[in-house]
Amino acid sequence: MGYNLMKVVKNYLWNAGYQVFILIVPLVTIPYITRVLGPSGVGVNSYTNSIVQYFILFGSLGLNIYGNREIAYHKDDVKSRSSIFWELTIIKFLSISIAMAAYLLFIGFSDRYRIFFLIQGIMLIGTATDISWFFQGMEDFKVTVTRSTLVRILSLVLTFVFVKTSADTWMYILILAVSQTLGYLTLWPYLRGRIVKVKLRDLHLKPHIKPAVQLLIPQVATQVYLQLNKTMLGSIDGVSAAGFYDNSDKIIKLVLAFITATGTVLLPHVANNFAKGNQKAVRSSLQLSMHLILVVAFPMAAGVICVAQPFTNLFFGPRFAVVATLMSVESVVIILIGISNAVGQQYLLPTGQYSPYTTSVVLGSIANIILNIPLIIYFGVVGSVVATVVSEAVVTGYQVLRIRQQIRVASLFSETWKYASSSLVMLLAVFLIRNMGTGDFSKVVIRVITGVIVYSVALLLLRPNFLISQLGSLRARFVKR
């Protein structure tokens, strides 16, 4: 390989840990929160948060992805990366200020949930201080993991201490907003030694505006089918439906954290190799990443279906029974987003191919908008999940079609049938023992253990040659060291 595989694996584990950790804290509180706040309280948080995320999106422009890539391009030059850091930070402060003014104007015209919107606004302010993109570009993922731990644990403790009834919905939102902001602020001390002072007259903001806005467009489109579902559900089917969707989505996002972590890790790697003209390393990283993603995504999607019913009963409670169905339907996006993450985040963006990436997510958003309204009206929250799945399929399909002239697509999916077949065998095996266990907890444990064993054995029997060869190469390098 043209890059340090050990370093990629290490950074993947750190970033996967980070992505999972920032989701684990709210997930640990979910069984408690769903019972204390109920569908209405959970729905109010979901609905108001979906609104503030639009303002956060526009305020952030495309600076997180753009900043990650630019720092990766110049990570070996302290003066250049320092200039880029300060230029992008100033732009972000200015754009967030404009977004904040627009958000306050929006609140002024809102009669419902005003106090909740005001509290959610803390997240918008905190976003101005988010510099995680710098450390991602430097491939220093350890910092973004360790700085978050104490802050998130603190939010967990505060939730259990101060949130006691449905009347404490505002307190729950406040704790989430403040903890996220504190998490961003704790990154700043780690800048010492990584950047230097740059004179104000040497900073040039204008060259960054156009590419940042170009990256904003696909993020806006992506946000449409990430947040629009909850917004439309809250408006058409009630905030409780938005809460059901949000809980299902949280579980799917937790599973996806293991997969999408590769995109954040490999983006700066690929960008750096692309800047050096090492096209072979760029293609090799995509091929390896795709196989690693698919070998995990298929069993994870099948696993969600296997445990959906007992997990929902155990985790959310009987009032959220519909979440089991939603999780089962939405599990398909684990595979779809895994593929689009590899193609889009790990290939198209770092190689500067904004047009096909942007087009893919715009098409996905259009599909989501067209399908959402009729499906929500006729099928409620299940219809919204179906719209999400179709939207992700459109994004993934278009991206794969666009790279077929640059990459031998067959090599990316050459052993997919082995991963899919092993997952299907696992699904059938778990179905056969579905009645084993005396309670929901034991059923989840039995199904998970059975699924892992059956999938592993089935996969070993089918012998995925590409992954075996890569593991052999990695072991040889480790022994050599």
Side-chain angles (χ1 to χ4, degrees):
M1 290 288 179
Y3 52 85
N4 190 327
L5 188 58
M6 288 296 292
K7 185 175 183 180
V8 171
V9 172
K10 181 180 178 181
N11 281 335
Y12 166 76
L13 293 176
W14 276 113
N15 194 51
Y18 169 69
Q19 295 295 334
V20 172
F21 183 74
I22 62 175
L23 285 169
I24 279 180
V25 172
L27 284 176
V28 169
T29 62
I30 281 177
Y32 176 74
I33 289 299
T34 53
R35 288 164 174 81
V36 171
L37 300 186
S40 180
V42 173
V44 166
N45 173 49
S46 175
Y47 176 67
T48 55
N49 182 261
S50 71
I51 299 296
V52 77
Q53 289 300 324
Y54 296 123
F55 292 90
I56 289 175
L57 175 66
F58 283 100
S60 300
L61 299 177
L63 291 172
N64 284 349
I65 295 177
Y66 176 71
N68 182 340
R69 192 198 68 181
E70 289 300 300
I71 293 298
Y73 281 166
H74 303 90
K75 68 177 182 178
D76 298 324
D77 186 339
V78 64
K79 186 175 180 180
S80 294
R81 72 173 184 248
S82 297
S83 295
I84 291 169
F85 171 80
W86 290 115
E87 289 162 353
L88 298 187
T89 299
I90 291 172
I91 292 173
K92 193 169 188 179
F93 273 124
L94 294 174
S95 59
I96 288 292
S97 297
I98 296 172
M100 192 67 205
Y103 185 65
L104 291 174
L105 185 63
F106 164 78
I107 293 176
F109 286 99
S110 300
D111 296 326
R112 300 179 67 195
Y113 311 125
R114 182 170 294 175
I115 184 64
F116 302 109
F117 280 126
L118 284 170
I119 299 172
Q120 295 279 14
I122 296 173
M123 292 188 183
L124 181 55
I125 298 172
T127 301
T129 64
D130 178 16
I131 54 171
S132 58
W133 50 270
F134 174 82
F135 295 96
Q136 291 167 358
M138 292 293 294
E139 298 184 77
D140 191 351
F141 293 92
K142 183 178 179 180
V143 171
T144 58
V145 176
T146 55
R147 61 92 185 176
S148 166
T149 304
L150 291 177
V151 172
R152 297 287 176 168
I153 291 175
L154 177 62
S155 72
L156 177 65
V157 173
L158 291 175
T159 296
F160 286 117
V161 171
F162 293 105
V163 182
K164 299 295 185 181
T165 69
S166 59
D168 296 325
T169 299
W170 69 272
M171 177 61 73
Y172 177 60
I173 296 173
L174 179 65
I175 291 171
L176 294 179
V178 171
S179 65
Q180 179 173 302
T181 301
L182 288 176
Y184 292 147
L185 291 173
T186 55
L187 270 179
W188 284 79
Y190 291 98
L191 286 173
R192 184 175 298 176
R194 291 178 170 84
I195 62 171
V196 296
K197 292 182 179 180
V198 180
K199 294 180 180 179
L200 189 61
R201 65 172 179 269
D202 293 332
L203 297 178
H204 305 285
L205 308 185
K206 189 176 180 180
H208 299 297
I209 302 296
K210 183 177 179 180
V213 172
Q214 285 178 329
L215 285 173
L216 171 64
I217 297 172
Q219 288 189 71
V220 169
T222 301
Q223 198 77 350
V224 166
Y225 56 85
L226 289 180
Q227 299 298 333
L228 184 64
N229 290 347
K230 287 180 280 188
T231 305
M232 294 181 70
L233 279 168
S235 300
I236 299 174
D237 207 24
V239 292
S240 293
F244 295 143
Y245 179 93
D246 191 46
N247 279 339
S248 171
D249 203 49
K250 276 188 172 73
I251 302 302
I252 299 300
K253 291 299 187 295
L254 174 61
V255 176
L256 272 169
F258 289 97
I259 297 170
T260 57
T262 59
T264 308
V265 169
L266 285 176
L267 190 151
H269 243 310
V270 175
N272 192 260
N273 281 321
F274 181 71
K276 295 176 181 178
N278 193 346
Q279 297 292 340
K280 183 179 179 180
V282 172
R283 290 191 294 270
S284 296
S285 67
L286 175 61
Q287 186 178 13
L288 174 61
S289 178
M290 185 66 80
H291 281 270
L292 290 175
I293 284 173
L294 293 177
V295 77
V296 176
F298 274 98
M300 282 186 167
V304 168
I305 297 173
C306 290
V307 303
Q309 188 269 328
F311 178 84
T312 299
N313 290 340
L314 177 70
F315 207 69
F316 299 111
R319 289 190 292 176
F320 289 82
V322 68
V323 174
T325 301
L326 303 183
M327 286 171 54
S328 297
V329 177
E330 195 178 358
S331 65
V332 179
V333 307
I334 295 172
I335 300 169
L336 296 173
I337 292 180
I339 297 172
S340 63
N341 181 267
V343 177
Q345 295 283 333
Q346 301 172 38
Y347 182 73
L348 293 177
L349 288 182
T351 56
Q353 299 184 66
Y354 300 136
S355 179
Y357 179 79
T358 300
T359 303
S360 70
V361 292
V362 168
L363 289 175
S365 298
I366 293 173
N368 186 271
I369 293 171
I370 292 174
L371 293 173
N372 239 327
I373 295 177
L375 288 179
I376 290 176
I377 291 174
Y378 286 104
F379 302 105
V381 64
V382 176
S384 186
V385 172
V386 172
T388 298
V389 173
V390 175
S391 300
E392 293 295 350
V394 170
V395 173
T396 302
Y398 183 83
Q399 289 184 1
V400 172
L401 285 174
R402 285 301 300 266
I403 67 166
R404 69 188 188 282
Q405 301 298 329
Q406 306 170 39
I407 302 287
R408 197 164 65 89
V409 173
S411 67
L412 301 180
F413 302 100
S414 59
E415 297 187 293
T416 300
W417 70 273
K418 296 180 181 180
Y419 313 141
S421 298
S422 300
S423 299
L424 180 60
V425 172
M426 179 190 83
L427 194 62
L428 293 173
V430 172
F431 177 77
L432 292 175
I433 54 97
R434 66 189 183 282
N435 293 322
M436 291 183 64
T438 56
D440 291 321
F441 179 77
S442 62
K443 287 181 179 179
V444 170
V445 173
I446 290 171
R447 293 182 188 189
V448 169
I449 293 174
T450 302
V452 170
I453 293 174
V454 172
Y455 178 76
S456 300
V457 172
L459 191 62
L460 286 173
L461 291 174
L462 291 176
R463 292 186 59 81
N465 298 320
F466 180 84
L467 291 179
I468 290 174
S469 66
Q470 291 301 318
L471 288 173
S473 175
L474 181 61
R475 182 173 57 185
R477 292 184 187 189
F478 182 78
V479 172
K480 186 177 180 180
R481 291 185 178 186

